[in-house]
């Protein structure tokens, strides 16, 4: 943490509460209970912050820091935000890493209690209590959440292992949707898990470094014993034993309880609706370490943006829940071919009926976010529109069900997963009907605004409302009566905040009425006079009483409906089915054209991509430029591909497109290729060279080597490794030697499938000693001394570097380019004439590769070059030209 944010967790050196005013004494007590939080202290229409909280918040929010009263002879620093605008301020504070405790008044101030006669004068401040802790990992409000992204709270507990480094138990909760999952992992795998989950807040022991996630850490409470944790969790989910949900390690169990307890505390004791904890088996998902995720721009690009990412390119979902599900598929691709095929079967089946798929899109587009509405309702923060969201969400699910049932996709029978979706989408009909009857068509934003429950649903509510409205009608009719009785046509009956219902007349006539016995003068201004009558006061009291009864009854009916909805255990499955339908539809639309295919994924060792593309680069190229598709084939006999070629030729793009194809295929999604056959990959490693990583400001050679070490230590025969420009961040000989050794290790020791891109074209000689190495290069053409990139992968190897050409292309001034090319010629001459400058090559056999594969550039024999130089086309007769052509052909063939 930097010096600029010294008080992110609230007041550090708090003044002592001695001698505080009663309200401030209350503040001290609440702050004492929540020392790590900024205390939002409710004062009337404001939340106010004091002492260090005020200083920190004022600077974070850029609002005025003032003072209120004094404490210990010093003014108390204070700032405040209006209650009505609190969401916006909270969201800024949360984004800057603060956590906030909200203290509300827990009784109504007397001034707001109308029509209750005299209230005993309140002594001392109103009672206040912290009703909610707002932390990055426990948000439910739509204003504070990104719709298409999960918001996870992660708890980590170390389980000491005999072999030194601890094993970890992890549990994560998305309180806004109720998702609750657990996993265990080794210390080395913890980074993978963090990168995969990208949690908003992490409860972790202070001694474990979380790297770039350290800023999201919240000190974790010491967990209780595993046995107590098992018992308490089982109790929370109403089962006799936690085993009902799967097998959990001790650390996993304590982490789960820690997460639940934290969530409960943040909701001031209310237990949100959570799915039962689901243990995730690690071997079921494709291993992707943090560096790989970062290099592939899966959900977030390296610049932190979301636009140029794999997710953004394949996302065609139309609901927030669908987007979250698609993101979770990409973040955790599968390894089990059967599960992958089950997903594929769904969209493959749907894509044959584009008309109905489009109808589905229309239905889903207006479907509200059931999960997040349920999340808010379950912590007692639900508003009328959340119930409305359930009503409309279920209705949309039923429509989707009908549409989906009508689809006759390909000839085959419906995929099993679709059958299940069809069943789940039909559920909750009774709840829907109930909500449909109960809720008004137009719902107010807040329950207090009234008019939530439709007329005719609840008899008692209707009675109160009728009483209230009848009295109002009587009052309305009184206006004409009074006008006549007092002979004043401009007389009005108005409701006044302090006075209740009053007669209002112009000041001039007001004086005339003052003497009347049946009118009580209440107030006069320069232009108006206000009077009350006994009749009006009585009606006023009746209206207030009836309105209060109606409001109370409405709250009761609302609460009953909420309870009913939370009780419906089919609703989460229905919401999931809606999200799944959306993802399937999104995939079907992606695969509707001919450019995305359904890959064959099995247990084999195949790696065959035909005419594959990099979806993100392709999308970024725009419509004017064609993306050159490239195939990739790694067979057991040629498991490792060495890709040479100059800078800018398309090596990195090719490398990553193959890695992305694996992710898409194993996530069960369409692949941007004509066809694809992949044997499942257990771990995928993708590294970009130091040179490409400069933007992240971590281009050090050390980082590159650490990442290389990670690959060499972890990759196995089922892994896919794509490495780019290894050994670039150091001197040429150093770098070449390292690249050489790594390539040998990948090929001969790890025996993984690998694509190795390098600008060291010298490495091509290794094919002689490495039988499973295939040589490929990026085709380039020399056109009038300019380098032209064809972006085509061809077999063979680059014969030269083209660095000088690229320099020219980039606009390096001509004299410098000329000088460089003369120097290069000089160096190359020395290199071939003198003794071998690279001792490494002494070991390598010096003969030419046996098979002379075609390469990207065709060498021109010197004799031909000379002959060509002698010819001046402008000087030749047609006959001489023909003769010259014959002569040239003779030399060339
Ligand atoms: P290298 O790694 O060889 O230096 P890159 O993969 O970074 O080259 O590609 C450089 C640029 O070339 C990319 O940003 C992209 O604009 C373009 N490019 C790469 N591959 C292709 C392709 N297959 N089709 C069209 N343009 C491509
Ligand atoms: Mg590159």
């Amino acid at each position: 943490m930097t010096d600029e944010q010294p008080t992110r967790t609230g007041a550090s050196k708090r003044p002592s509460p001695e001698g505080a005013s009663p309200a401030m004494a209350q503040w001290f007590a609440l702050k004492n209970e929540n020392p790590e939080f900024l205390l939002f202290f409710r004062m009337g229409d404001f939340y106010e912050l004091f002492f260090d909280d005020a200083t920190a918040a004022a600077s974070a929010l850029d609002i005025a820091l003032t003072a209120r009263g004094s404490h210990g002879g010093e003014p108390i620093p204070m700032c405040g935000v209006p209650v009505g605008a609190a969401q916006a301020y909270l969201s800024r504070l949360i984004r800057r890493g603060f956590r906030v405790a909200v203290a509300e008044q827990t009784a109504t101030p007397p001034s707001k209690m109308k029509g209750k006669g005299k209230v005993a004068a309140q002594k001392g401040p109103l009672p206040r209590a912290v009703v909610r802790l707002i932390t990055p990992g426990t948000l439910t409000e739509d204003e504070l959440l990104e719709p298409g992204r999960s918001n996870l709270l992660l708890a980590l507990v170390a389980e000491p292992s005999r072999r030194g480094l601890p094993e970890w138990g992890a549990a994560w909760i998305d309180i806004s949707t109720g998702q609750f999952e657990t996993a265990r992992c080794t210390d080395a795998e913890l980074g993978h898990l963090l990168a995969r989950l990208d949690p908003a807040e992490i409860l972790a022991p202070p001694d474990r470094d979380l790297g770039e996630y350290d800023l999201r850490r919240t000190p974790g409470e010491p967990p209780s014993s595993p046995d107590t944790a098992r018992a308490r969790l089982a109790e929370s989910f109403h089962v006799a034993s936690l085993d009902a949900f799967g097998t959990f390690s001790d650390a996993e169990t304590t982490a789960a309880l820690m997460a639940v307890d934290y969530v409960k505390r943040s909701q001031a004791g209310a237990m949100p609706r959570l799915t039962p904890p689901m243990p995730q088996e690690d071997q079921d998902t494709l291993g992707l370490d943090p560096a790989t995720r970062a290099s592939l721009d899966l959900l977030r690009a390296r610049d932190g943006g979301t636009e140029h990412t794999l997710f953004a390119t394949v996302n065609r979902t139309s609901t927030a829940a669908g987007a979250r599900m698609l993101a979770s598929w990409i973040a955790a691709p599968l390894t089990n071919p059967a599960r992958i095929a089950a997903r594929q079967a769904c969209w493959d089946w749907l894509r044959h009926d584009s008309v109905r798929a489009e109808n589905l899109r229309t239905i889903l587009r207006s479907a509200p976010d059931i999960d997040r509405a349920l999340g808010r309702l379950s912590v007692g923060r639900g508003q009328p529109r959340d119930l409305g969201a359930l009503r409309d969400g279920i209705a949309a699910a039923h429509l989707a069900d009908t549409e989906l049932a009508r689809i006759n996709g390909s000839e085959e029978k419906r995929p099993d997963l679709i059958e299940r979706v069809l069943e789940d989408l039909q559920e909750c009909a009774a709840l829907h009907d109930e909500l449909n009857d109960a809720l008004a068509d137009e719902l107010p934003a807040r329950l207090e605004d009234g008019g939530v429950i439709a007329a005719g649903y609840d008899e008692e509510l209707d009675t109160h409302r009728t009483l209230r409205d009848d009295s109002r009608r009587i009052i309305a009719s009184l206006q004409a009566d009074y006008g006549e009785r007092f002979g004043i046509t401009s007389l009005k009956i108005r409701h006044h905040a302090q006075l209740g219902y009053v007669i209002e007349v112009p000041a001039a006539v007001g004086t005339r009425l003052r003497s009347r016995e049946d009118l009580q003068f209440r107030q006069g201004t320069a232009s108006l006079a206000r009077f009350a009558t006994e009749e009006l006061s009585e009606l006023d009291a009746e209206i207030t009483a009836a309105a209060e009864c109606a409001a109370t009854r409405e709250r009761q009916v609302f609460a009953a409906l909420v309870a009913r909805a939370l009780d419906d255990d089919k609703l989460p499955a229905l919401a999931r089915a809606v999200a799944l339908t959306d993802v399937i539809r999104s995939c079907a639309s992606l695969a509707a054209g001919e450019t995305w295919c359904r890959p064959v994924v099995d247990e084999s060792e195949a790696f065959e991509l035909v005419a594959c593309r990099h979806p993100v680069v392709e999308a970024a190229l725009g419509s004017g430029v064609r993306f050159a598709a490239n195939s990739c084939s790694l067979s057991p006999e040629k498991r490792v591909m060495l890709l040479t070629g100059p800078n800018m030729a398309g090596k990195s793009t090719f490398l990553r497109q193959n890695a992305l194809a694996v992710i898409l295929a194993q996530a069960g999604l369409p692949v941007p290729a004509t066809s694809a056959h992949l044997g499942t990959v257990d771990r995928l490693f993708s590294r970009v060279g130091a040179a490409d990583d400069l933007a992240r400001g971590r281009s050090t050679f050390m980082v590159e080597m650490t990442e290389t070490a990670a690959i060499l230590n972890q990759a196995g025969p089922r892994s896919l490794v794509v490495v780019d420009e290894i050994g670039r961040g150091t001197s040429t000989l150093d770098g070449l030697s390292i690249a050489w050794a790594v390539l040998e290790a990948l090929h001969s020791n790890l025996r993984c499938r690998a694509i190795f891109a390098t600008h060291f074209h010298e490495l091509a000689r290794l094919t002689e000693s490495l039988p499973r190495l295939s040589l490929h290069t990026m085709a380039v053409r020399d056109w009038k001394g300019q380098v032209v990139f064809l972006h085509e992968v061809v077999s063979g190897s680059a014969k030269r570097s083209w660095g000088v050409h690229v320099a020219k292309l980039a606009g390096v001034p001509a004299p410098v380019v000329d000088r460089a090319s003369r120097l290069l010629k000089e160096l190359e001459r020395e290199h071939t004439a003198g003794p071998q400058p690279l001792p490494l090559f002494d070991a390598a056999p010096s003969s030419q590769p046996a098979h002379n594969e075609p390469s990207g550039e065709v060498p021109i024999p010197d004799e031909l070059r000379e002959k060509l130089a002698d010819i001046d086309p402008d000087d030749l007769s047609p006959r001489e030209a023909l003769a010259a052509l014959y002569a040239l052909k003779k030399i060339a063939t």
Side-chain angles (χ1 to χ4, degrees):
M1 215 176 286
T2 62
D3 286 342
E4 287 152 45
Q5 293 175 317
T7 48
R8 274 173 22 118
T9 53
S12 45
K13 42 176 191 356
R14 243 168 311 136
S16 93
E18 253 128 78
S21 67
M24 281 322 287
Q26 216 177 37
W27 183 89
F28 276 110
L30 293 176
K31 181 75 196 177
N32 202 29
E33 288 166 23
N34 303 282
E36 291 135 22
F37 294 79
L38 291 181
L39 186 61
F40 266 44
F41 194 71
R42 178 73 178 258
M43 298 277 236
D45 293 333
F46 278 82
Y47 289 117
E48 301 197 338
L49 296 99
F50 300 103
F51 296 107
D52 284 0
D53 284 4
T55 330
S59 93
L61 297 172
D62 198 17
I63 56 175
L65 182 68
T66 58
R68 167 190 294 248
S70 67
H71 182 74
E74 297 280 322
I76 303 174
M78 193 273 290
C79 69
V81 301
V83 170
Q87 286 300 7
Y89 289 108
L90 280 171
S91 118
R92 268 152 76 189
L93 287 173
I94 297 296
R95 242 179 285 134
R96 305 213 34 191
F98 289 97
R99 299 184 299 147
V100 176
V102 181
E104 292 287 356
Q105 293 158 352
T106 46
T108 320
S111 65
K112 296 253 168 97
M113 295 168 72
K114 291 167 292 180
K116 281 276 165 80
K118 274 181 227 142
V119 175
Q122 173 102 24
K123 285 228 180 69
L126 288 163
R128 286 185 178 81
V130 169
V131 296
R132 166 94 198 276
L133 301 177
I134 302 176
T135 76
T138 57
L139 304 175
T140 54
E141 290 83 351
D142 272 341
E143 295 86 342
L144 304 179
L145 289 164
E146 277 183 70
R149 198 171 277 276
S150 306
N151 198 69
L152 299 179
L153 168 77
L154 171 69
L156 294 174
V157 171
E159 185 149 21
S161 91
R162 253 169 272 135
R163 278 164 289 131
L165 287 174
E167 298 258 318
W168 290 91
W172 55 96
I173 289 179
D174 186 339
I175 164 176
S176 66
T177 63
Q179 173 200 359
F180 185 12
E181 291 169 343
T182 72
R184 57 194 111 158
C185 66
T186 65
D187 199 67
E189 288 163 344
L190 191 56
H192 300 211
L193 188 73
L194 290 173
R196 174 182 139 203
L197 299 174
D198 193 16
E201 189 175 3
I202 305 167
L203 305 170
D207 48 342
R208 177 56 159 91
D209 177 21
L210 301 179
E212 60 180 304
Y213 292 95
D214 249 349
L215 278 175
R216 307 191 196 167
R217 173 205 295 277
T218 291
E221 307 270 317
S224 47
S225 84
D227 289 340
T228 328
R230 275 178 208 282
R232 281 192 47 208
L233 278 171
E235 193 188 335
S236 304
F237 289 97
H238 315 293
V239 285
S241 154
L242 207 53
D243 298 341
F245 305 130
T247 318
F248 300 87
S249 74
D250 281 353
E252 233 173 333
T253 316
T254 30
L257 184 64
M258 191 163 141
V260 168
D261 279 349
Y262 187 78
V263 162
K264 247 195 214 165
R265 179 170 166 232
S266 76
Q267 310 303 322
M271 170 76 168
R273 184 195 61 93
L274 296 178
T275 64
M278 295 212 293
Q280 306 289 298
E281 295 297 340
D282 197 40
Q283 60 269 33
D284 289 351
T285 57
L286 171 66
L288 293 166
D289 63 10
T292 300
R293 282 174 199 277
S295 96
L296 293 176
D297 302 332
L298 299 181
L299 301 179
R300 260 187 225 279
R302 265 157 294 168
D303 59 8
T306 52
E307 192 188 343
H308 299 291
T309 59
L310 181 64
F311 172 74
T313 322
V314 301
N315 179 23
R316 306 264 192 290
T317 60
S318 37
T319 67
R324 291 195 297 268
M325 183 179 277
L326 179 63
S328 75
W329 285 15
I330 290 177
L334 308 170
T335 49
N336 177 333
R339 287 183 63 198
I340 295 167
R343 288 179 181 177
Q344 292 175 333
C346 295
W347 55 259
D348 199 17
W349 171 81
L350 182 59
R351 74 167 146 171
H352 296 287
D353 193 342
S354 56
V355 175
R356 296 237 158 73
E358 180 57 26
N359 291 349
L360 271 178
R361 193 178 74 91
T362 316
I363 294 167
L364 293 174
R365 209 167 37 184
S366 58
D369 198 335
I370 296 180
D371 285 317
R372 290 211 161 149
L374 266 180
R376 282 186 291 273
L377 290 165
S378 73
V379 289
R381 213 169 298 124
Q383 291 294 351
R385 285 176 194 168
D386 290 316
L387 277 188
L390 300 190
R391 173 193 61 192
D392 301 344
I394 300 171
H398 291 169
L399 285 176
D401 189 65
T402 316
E403 201 60 35
L404 202 57
R406 280 201 205 121
I407 287 178
N408 74 62
S410 42
E411 309 291 279
E412 312 117 51
K413 78 175 192 52
R414 268 184 208 142
D416 293 348
L417 198 49
I418 296 279
E419 295 288 358
R420 284 221 292 284
V421 165
L422 281 169
E423 266 170 37
D424 288 344
L425 286 176
Q426 290 168 15
E427 297 288 354
C428 308
L431 176 63
H432 173 263
D433 293 348
E434 188 80 46
L435 291 174
N436 206 25
D437 290 347
L439 296 176
D441 291 337
E442 289 285 319
L443 290 170
R446 294 171 321 148
L447 181 54
E448 305 87 89
D449 298 340
V452 178
I453 305 300
Y457 177 73
D458 182 73
E459 217 172 300
E460 186 185 333
L461 178 60
D462 287 346
T463 315
H464 296 310
R465 280 179 177 166
T466 312
L467 274 177
R468 179 195 68 192
D469 297 345
D470 283 352
S471 305
R472 281 193 185 142
R473 247 190 308 277
I474 296 173
I475 288 185
S477 70
L478 277 179
Q479 182 163 304
D481 284 3
Y482 284 166
E484 219 163 281
R485 189 180 327 161
F486 304 121
I488 304 165
T489 42
S490 57
L491 177 146
K492 294 260 171 340
I493 295 180
R494 286 241 157 82
H495 188 260
H496 197 269
Q498 270 99 47
L499 306 176
Y501 283 96
V502 288
I503 295 173
E504 233 173 55
V505 296
V509 283
T511 21
R512 180 157 65 79
L513 297 183
R514 280 215 191 191
S515 53
R516 292 191 64 122
E517 293 240 314
D518 50 353
L519 287 177
Q520 297 116 37
F521 176 73
R522 279 290 155 88
Q523 208 177 41
T525 69
S527 56
L528 289 171
R530 296 192 172 113
F531 298 88
T533 69
E534 206 158 303
E535 199 179 10
L536 273 181
S537 303
E538 267 165 31
L539 281 168
D540 193 3
E542 269 170 34
I543 291 175
T544 314
E548 250 171 47
C549 289
T552 310
R553 182 62 193 164
E554 190 158 40
R555 274 199 302 276
Q556 283 168 357
V557 176
F558 183 81
L561 287 171
V562 171
R564 165 98 211 259
L566 293 175
D567 229 32
D568 194 320
D569 52 6
K570 294 285 197 275
L571 193 49
L574 175 133
R576 228 188 106 74
V578 172
L580 191 55
T581 309
D582 194 20
V583 174
I584 290 166
R585 199 205 49 68
S586 163
C587 293
S589 113
L590 197 62
E594 292 307 304
T595 54
W596 294 68
C597 72
R598 174 178 176 176
V600 177
V601 184
D602 55 24
E603 302 276 11
S604 72
E605 298 195 341
F607 194 99
E608 298 289 338
L609 295 172
V610 179
C612 183
R613 305 175 320 273
H614 188 306
V616 185
V617 173
E618 181 181 38
L621 280 182
S623 50
V625 196
R626 197 185 60 91
F627 186 91
N630 278 303
S631 301
C632 181
S633 160
L634 305 175
S635 59
E637 298 77 44
K638 294 280 178 200
R639 295 173 82 87
V640 180
M641 175 191 286
L642 178 68
L643 181 66
T644 51
N647 275 320
M648 286 303 288
K651 297 186 300 301
S652 304
T653 307
F654 177 70
L655 239 57
R656 292 201 189 107
Q657 86 186 21
N658 292 306
L660 292 178
V662 169
I663 299 215
L664 289 170
Q666 294 194 193
L669 303 172
V671 168
T674 342
S675 74
H677 180 191
L678 292 175
T680 46
V681 171
D682 65 350
R683 284 150 187 254
L684 172 68
F685 296 91
S686 165
R687 290 300 183 277
V688 288
D692 293 15
D693 211 8
L694 271 171
R696 281 169 90 204
R698 33 172 280 170
S699 72
T700 64
F701 182 60
M702 184 65 191
V703 171
E704 189 191 325
M705 286 299 107
T706 314
E707 293 181 357
T708 307
I711 297 178
L712 296 176
N713 289 326
Q714 296 175 55
R718 284 216 77 90
S719 306
L720 176 72
V721 175
V722 301
V723 281
D724 199 1
E725 304 287 13
I726 274 202
R728 191 170 205 173
T730 181
S731 79
T732 312
L733 285 187
D734 243 12
L736 180 55
S737 320
I738 291 170
W740 180 308
V742 170
L743 183 57
E744 279 179 347
L746 289 175
H747 175 278
S748 308
N749 305 347
L750 303 175
R751 299 182 150 256
C752 53
R753 287 168 283 182
I755 310 174
F756 193 100
T758 183
H759 68 291
F760 293 125
H761 54 89
E762 296 89 339
L763 285 179
R765 296 215 198 163
L766 277 173
T767 85
E768 287 152 34
S769 52
L770 305 179
R772 287 180 299 278
L773 187 68
S774 75
L775 288 187
H776 285 81
T777 183
M778 303 304 303
V780 284
R781 205 157 277 164
D782 187 347
W783 187 71
K784 292 186 183 165
Q786 298 255 22
V787 54
V788 178
F789 301 118
L790 304 179
H791 302 123
E792 224 173 88
V793 177
V794 293
S795 47
S797 68
K799 299 289 182 289
R800 47 199 269 224
S801 304
W802 296 93
V804 176
H805 294 77
V806 176
K808 188 169 168 188
L809 201 64
V812 172
V816 179
V817 173
D818 288 347
R819 173 83 181 128
S821 44
R822 263 177 287 136
L823 282 171
L824 180 65
K825 283 213 183 84
E826 197 72 11
L827 289 170
E828 278 174 349
R829 206 161 43 81
E830 277 171 28
H831 175 97
T832 38
Q836 287 282 0
L838 305 180
L840 280 165
F841 286 115
D842 291 347
S846 56
S847 64
Q848 286 297 307
H851 38 274
N852 211 348
E853 286 150 318
S855 72
E857 32 164 337
V858 184
I860 303 174
D862 286 345
E863 201 188 338
L864 191 60
R865 199 187 294 274
E866 277 161 29
K867 190 84 187 169
L868 278 168
D870 286 339
I871 296 174
D872 183 355
D874 290 337
D875 254 346
L876 297 180
S877 71
R879 192 173 190 90
E880 282 165 343
L882 194 59
L885 198 54
Y886 276 117
L888 287 175
K889 196 164 152 57
K890 204 168 159 203
I891 300 169
T893 50

